[in-house]
Amino acid sequence: MMTKADKHANWLSKVASKSHWPHMTTPQEILPTIAKQPAPFKHPLTVSKNLVQALKKSRRMLQMILCFGGLILFILMGQSILRCFNYELVSPFWQQIMMILLSLTGLVVLSAYAWLMWTTNWFLESLWRWLAGNLLLVQATISQNFTELLGLNFTWFLLMGQMMYEIHILRGDLSKFEWNLQVIARESTTLLGILLILSRPQRDSLSLLIIWLILRSLPWTALSLKTLVKHIDKKLRQLQVTSKNLAVALQLKGFDYVVLDKTETLTEPIAEVDSITIKPGVDQHLIWSLLVSLEENQKHPIAQGIYRFAIAQGGEVLPLKQWGKISMGLGADWQSDHYLLVSRSAVRQLGLEPQLKNNGKTMSYLVKNQKSILAEICLTEKLKPQARSLVQLIKRWRWVTVMATGDNDSNANQVGSQLGLDIIAADLTSQMKAQVVQAYQKQGRVIYLGDGHNDQLALQLADIGISLADTALPYSQAHQAHLMIGESSLDASIQSLQLLRKGWFKNWLDHLVWGGINLATLLLLIWNFPQLHLAIIGSSGILLLSLLFNLCNYFFNCFINNVDNNGDIR
Ligand SMILES: Nc1ncnc2c1ncn2[C@@H]1O[C@H](COP(=O)(O)OP(=O)(O)OP(=O)(O)O)[C@@H](O)[C@H]1O
Ligand SMILES: [Cu+]
């Protein structure tokens, strides 16, 4: 049988063979093809620029009005529907038909809602809600309670909307404003719900309600996401790790793939030159000088190794005209010739054949005018001491380990098998690294661990990007990652991953406790404690308001996000 790992290895070999070269990796070139985010919600309305600008300015105010207005309208509509439609007057046969239809739609809507929840990895919560919802459904159907059935349908429909909204938050960045809005909405609606219940004639439900609210607040304070984020952020900072969007990261709950960069992530930041084989008849001093000049200002581990070696051989700096960054190496013009210092696969794509066999080493080739190989450079990279424990840790958690490297496959296989990685993808450009991440995201959640050198895009696209930006090698775009490790050792990475996992576990516990409380209340209800019924009606009042708030917010976000800075609808 084909394992998960095999399937992806197959797919990867297909992607890797599509590599194009020479290829200038400019962000403009990559972004349109790679950074294809899920298509944004297209609003069917076309509105004038001025209106959009006005909407944007008064967005918050409008949200409030729409939300509370919507709630009042909703209640009024529900009441008038129930008043106009006299269920008792319908013939018993049609009453039965309507009951069955309502139960069935209830089941469908409930299942759709639970499924949406399932897709965000809230497995347990989704299961609780589905089971509890079905209990309610059965109870209402058996007792032939038409109003309750109608209410259940409505509530689940709204819950589905809320779930869509939450998925929307999970996909994007949770802004501070959105976060605060959520908190305000939740707290104010709780207050409103309490007032609603207090205004009811039956006071006996009050004590039950208070117990219920205390129970409800326990997990909220002890285990809530906000507390967790604070706690974990503090610990991360002690490790000199800066985090971004930790709330989003912690809501993801568990991972399926960890994609690792090789050079400088798993290996030490300086490579050691083993040998440089120069083509017979070529001026050696020119080679050393070309190497020194090419690598002079490069931060790449290979560059550091080559530079040191060539300097020691007496290389001098020549006024080269550098090409800027290209994938798979460097390019520069000197006098009327152009020189490339590139990888094995790049050399092959030029139709040239290296002399030396590649025995699991990192290789780099100096090529003149895309026609002849002047020098073959063979380098050794040392594994970082903690690389093995990192991989073992990840494997113990049963996440699939993938190596995505720009280095040649011979070396990648050597390092990969030494560490026992599940999948190895070599000869990747930064564009292909991003594609690898995207491909795995179709199967599950992806963490990317890299140095921010040839993988900024991959770091950005992954569900969590962890960049090991060595303070001595500040990579310009590393800040887009969710976590930044300020040292090149893997210790902080290992500890950060462990912290995240602890966070997910606690978050999971939170849902367990919540689900337990919900289920217990519902079971009590089924065993016919009429007072609790009131408490639950009160809490659904809370729910309703917060749902409407979230729904308004959701549509607003989709709508506003579709409008670019010029006020044009995309
Ligand atoms: N500064 C450089 N000097 C010499 N060769 C280079 C340089 N940069 C890249 N190369 C060549 O291109 C290949 C791929 O480099 P790239 O930076 O894409 O990946 P990498 O850093 O080696 O691996 P990883 O993706 O695991 O970090 C290298 O193996 C090397 O042959
Ligand atoms: Cu790297």
Side-chain angles (χ1 to χ4, degrees), residues 261-264 295 298 300 302-303 306 328-330 341-344 362-364 381 404-408 428 433 451 453-455:
D261 167 76
K262 179 183 66 69
T263 307
E264 228 192 330
E295 304 285 29
Q298 301 296 322
H300 198 284
I302 297 176
I306 295 177
M328 296 177 166
L330 306 164
L341 187 55
V342 288
S343 73
R344 197 175 179 89
T362 294
M363 303 292 295
S364 205
E381 292 174 321
T405 178
D407 206 345
N408 65 67
L428 302 178
K433 281 192 179 201
D451 56 7
H453 172 63
N454 57 351
D455 45 21

Side-chain angles (χ1 to χ4, degrees), residues 261 263-265 269 297-302 304 325 450-456 459 467-481 484-485 488:
D261 167 76
T263 307
E264 228 192 330
T265 299
N297 296 313
Q298 301 296 322
K299 309 260 189 256
H300 198 284
I302 297 176
Q304 311 241 343
K325 196 173 163 354
D451 56 7
H453 172 63
N454 57 351
D455 45 21
Q456 286 109 328
L459 277 167
S467 78
L468 289 110
D470 194 303
T471 36
L473 306 163
Y475 294 116
S476 56
Q477 286 185 40
H479 65 273
Q480 276 138 338
M484 274 178 288
I485 315 270
S488 74

